[in-house]
Amino acid sequence: MKTQSKLYFYMTISTILLAILAVWSLNTGVYDFGGKSAFEVLGKVIQGDPGLALSDKYVVWDVRAARIIMAIFIGSMLSVSGTSLQGLFKNPLATGDLIGLTSGATLLAAIAIVLGGHFKEYLPETVQFSLVGISAFIGSFLSMMLVYRISTSGGTTNVVMMLLTGVAITAIGFSITGFLIYVSKDEQLRDLTFWNLGSLAAATWTKNIILGIVLIIAYIILLPKGKALNAMMLGEKDAQHLGINVERLKKQIIIIVALMVGSCVAFSGTIGFVGLIVPYILRLLFKSNYVFILPLSAVCGSILLLTADTFSRSIVAPSELPIGILTALMGGPIFIAILVKFKKSL
């Protein structure tokens, strides 16, 4: 009960901080609401005020609010996916972007963008509408399976092999994506640039509904796995003795993480290092207790990405700095810090 009380306390504090950041982000921008705050305008939108200017409604509801919700969803899912992989592989370097999941998702999304027009008409209408998203999920899933097959032998995962496989997948993805950029048309080139740099500028409420559904399904399965991941830290055999179905846990995490990473890449492009930064900071505070780390990463990932996105659209306003650049700048030093810590422990 004491552990639960602590968790509820930290979750409450994190959620309050996220709400404050959301209000700050909503009021950040170059658009002038005529002396009113964006929060006041949002209240009028919710109330259905007929006297509200259409431009005010569009900026607050369809641009800023939709973008804030997408940042919350994507930041949360990227963070939880990284935390889950690190618990499964027992290594803080196991994140979707470092082991090739993001590259695999981006590659198949790029193929769908450039070549999809040649075969899209033969597919069912529902598949046509979400072809890029489905392709991103398939790319993420195939990358995850390839990494798992190559790096795991006899129930033990070789971390070096896992990272090298990720490097290989990233290199292959980069080369093929580069070729697609070379042969693409102007409109396709803009889309591919968006995927490679990462951005939340294309946020819509339809996309947020899809992300919300994915998030709910994923979290119903993953968030209760804190104790199971704690058991995995002892080793797979010890986890089995404690009653954990190890193979089932692996399959669930692999499929759900692939679904989350694929969905995020489909709607926001490549946003790296979120799944590395948040679990690393939480691990400094709570060691490797995934009962705390897993649910808290869901909120703290949202805090990180929402903060980064708000800065990305305000630093060079009215232009926008791709958010993937900011997260890479934040994640790079942390990645080096983890490597230095590993070097000292050798």
Side-chain angles (χ1 to χ4, degrees):
M1 190 65 183
K2 190 176 180 182
T3 300
Q4 279 189 329
S5 299
K6 283 185 178 180
L7 179 59
Y8 291 150
F9 172 76
Y10 289 121
M11 287 291 291
T12 301
I13 296 298
S14 301
T15 304
I16 291 172
L17 177 58
L18 178 60
I20 293 172
L21 286 171
V23 174
W24 167 61
S25 181
L26 189 69
N27 284 284
T28 301
V30 296
Y31 184 83
D32 184 10
F33 292 100
K36 299 187 293 291
S37 71
F39 198 68
E40 291 175 316
V41 176
L42 179 62
K44 292 183 178 181
V45 172
I46 295 173
Q47 294 170 7
D49 187 346
L52 185 65
L54 290 177
S55 58
D56 289 355
K57 178 181 178 181
Y58 173 76
V59 170
V60 165
W61 184 251
D62 294 314
V63 177
R64 293 190 189 176
R67 184 165 180 156
I68 288 169
I69 296 300
M70 180 172 279
I72 290 172
F73 285 168
I74 289 180
S76 181
M77 286 195 285
L78 289 177
S79 179
V80 170
S81 65
T83 304
S84 301
L85 288 176
Q86 289 166 23
L88 180 65
F89 291 114
K90 301 183 287 295
N91 190 278
L93 298 178
T95 62
D97 41 309
L98 292 179
I99 64 174
L101 302 194
T102 303
S103 297
T106 303
L107 172 58
L108 261 71
I111 292 173
I113 291 170
V114 178
L115 304 178
H118 297 290
F119 58 83
K120 185 181 288 188
E121 60 185 33
Y122 302 105
L123 301 173
E125 189 172 342
T126 53
V127 176
Q128 291 181 26
F129 176 74
S130 54
L131 179 61
V132 176
I134 293 172
S135 300
F137 166 69
I138 293 173
S140 177
F141 180 76
L142 292 177
S143 298
M144 182 75 257
M145 291 303 299
L146 183 61
V147 169
Y148 179 75
R149 294 290 183 187
I150 293 177
S151 62
T152 303
S153 177
T156 303
T157 301
N158 187 312
V159 176
V160 175
M161 288 295 294
M162 178 180 64
L163 294 175
L164 290 176
T165 305
V167 170
I169 293 173
T170 301
I172 294 170
F174 178 78
S175 62
I176 298 177
T177 303
F179 173 75
L180 292 173
I181 290 173
Y182 179 75
V183 300
S184 63
K185 300 176 182 177
D186 288 343
E187 183 178 350
Q188 295 169 343
L189 182 60
R190 285 193 294 271
D191 289 338
L192 289 172
T193 302
F194 161 79
W195 293 113
N196 286 327
L197 295 179
S199 174
L200 302 178
T204 66
W205 286 107
T206 302
K207 293 177 181 178
N208 285 339
I209 290 171
I210 296 171
L211 287 171
I213 293 171
V214 172
L215 182 144
I216 290 170
I217 293 172
Y219 286 7
I220 288 174
I221 297 173
L222 284 185
L223 291 188
K225 303 295 185 187
K227 290 183 179 179
L229 290 176
N230 283 346
M232 288 290 289
M233 296 298 293
L234 303 173
E236 293 186 10
K237 290 184 179 179
D238 289 332
Q240 286 177 334
H241 290 313
L242 292 172
I244 305 298
N245 189 331
V246 173
E247 289 304 315
R248 182 184 177 188
L249 180 66
K250 286 180 180 178
K251 290 176 182 178
Q252 286 179 337
I253 290 178
I254 286 172
I255 293 172
I256 295 299
V257 166
L259 175 63
M260 289 195 294
V261 171
S263 301
C264 292
V265 171
F267 293 139
S268 66
T270 305
I271 300 177
F273 290 102
V274 176
L276 180 76
I277 299 170
V278 175
Y280 175 74
I281 294 173
L282 291 176
R283 201 174 286 108
L284 292 177
L285 299 173
F286 303 104
K287 303 304 179 183
S288 293
N289 187 352
Y290 285 91
V291 173
F292 282 98
I293 294 175
L294 201 56
L296 280 173
S297 66
V299 183
C300 293
S302 299
I303 291 172
L304 174 67
L305 195 61
L306 180 57
T307 303
D309 182 58
T310 305
F311 277 112
S312 75
R313 59 185 177 83
S314 59
I315 290 176
V316 291
S319 298
E320 177 182 326
L321 187 69
I323 193 171
I325 295 175
L326 285 181
T327 56
L329 283 173
M330 290 186 289
I334 289 180
F335 183 63
I336 293 172
I338 295 173
L339 292 177
V340 170
K341 186 178 179 180
F342 268 22
K343 180 181 178 181
K344 290 180 180 179
S345 64
L346 292 176

